[in-house]
Amino acid sequence: MAEHRSMQRAALLDAARSLLSEGGTEALTFPALAERTGLARSSVYEYFRSRAAVVEELCEADFPVWAAEVEAAMADAEGPEGKIEAYVRKQLELVGDRRHRAVVAISASELDAGAREKIRAAHGGLVAMIVEALAGLGHAEPRLTAMLLQGVVDAAVRRIELGAAEHPDVIVRAAVSLALHGVRG
């Protein structure tokens, strides 16, 4: 019985990932989850009390995986500039990954405190690594610079997600260039 429940829970989370990557947080509704999984709507409520609870559980499951991939790319890179480039490049590379698309949709939405806390915790290690790399380049305000750098990454992610006129590789190159050389290019 417990195994059956955990399979249904996994199916619901997978359906939630699909809905998020297809239509953002507006698409994530209990009727849509019920339809995708073939469960009765009342059954969906047995697993999750609210949409926020679904998002929170996805954050707990997916953010650490995503953060670990970015962290691994940074760990493999040489020197502070290499680490910063890996930080930008890997996040943008993961945009095509379905799990990451759900993560992007979640990041872009209004989150409750619980979900925000889980995201912050997952991001914590990443931010620490990027702050260290920026400090290594001699930035006077590495933490502030890290937040601004993440803003550049988020803007590039949205541009790729929108299917902008530029090829994703062009967007990645521009974001890396901005991260490493500022507006001088």
Side-chain angles (χ1 to χ4, degrees):
M1 181 69 196
E3 193 177 317
H4 177 67
R5 281 190 67 82
S6 85
M7 277 171 63
Q8 285 193 328
R9 185 176 213 96
L12 282 165
L13 286 174
D14 213 50
R17 279 184 196 99
S18 296
L19 290 164
L20 280 165
S21 64
E22 288 159 24
T25 42
E26 298 78 63
L28 180 61
T29 64
F30 279 27
L33 282 172
E35 193 183 319
R36 284 282 164 104
T37 53
L39 292 170
R41 201 184 306 183
S42 58
S43 300
V44 178
Y45 282 99
E46 285 174 33
Y47 291 91
F48 298 105
R49 62 185 187 286
S50 64
R51 262 170 33 143
V54 178
V55 167
E56 202 169 313
E57 193 153 322
L58 273 178
C59 288
E60 216 166 332
D62 293 0
F63 264 94
V65 174
W66 170 85
E69 289 184 42
V70 178
E71 230 165 284
M74 287 177 74
D76 288 344
E78 293 291 313
E81 283 202 12
K83 289 188 186 314
I84 291 165
E85 178 166 352
Y87 175 82
V88 173
R89 223 172 250 292
K90 190 64 180 177
Q91 286 189 68
L92 297 179
E93 200 180 288
L94 290 170
V95 174
D97 180 321
R98 203 167 64 88
R99 275 169 326 179
H100 183 57
R101 281 213 301 278
V103 164
V104 170
I106 291 168
S107 305
S109 68
E110 290 301 309
L111 294 173
D112 70 338
R116 264 203 312 274
E117 202 38 62
K118 296 212 164 59
I119 291 173
R120 249 199 305 279
H123 267 272
L126 271 185
V127 171
M129 286 181 83
I130 200 71
V131 166
E132 194 180 316
L134 289 163
L137 286 179
H139 275 274
E141 295 281 353
R143 190 160 279 282
L144 171 61
T145 306
M147 286 175 199
L148 297 174
L149 176 60
Q150 187 57 45
V152 169
V153 173
D154 293 342
V157 164
R158 276 193 300 277
R159 195 123 188 104
I160 293 169
E161 286 276 310
L162 287 170
E166 310 88 5
H167 189 277
D169 292 348
V170 173
I171 298 170
V172 171
R173 274 198 306 275
V176 167
S177 174
L178 187 56
L180 295 177
H181 312 294
V183 292
R184 292 183 195 282

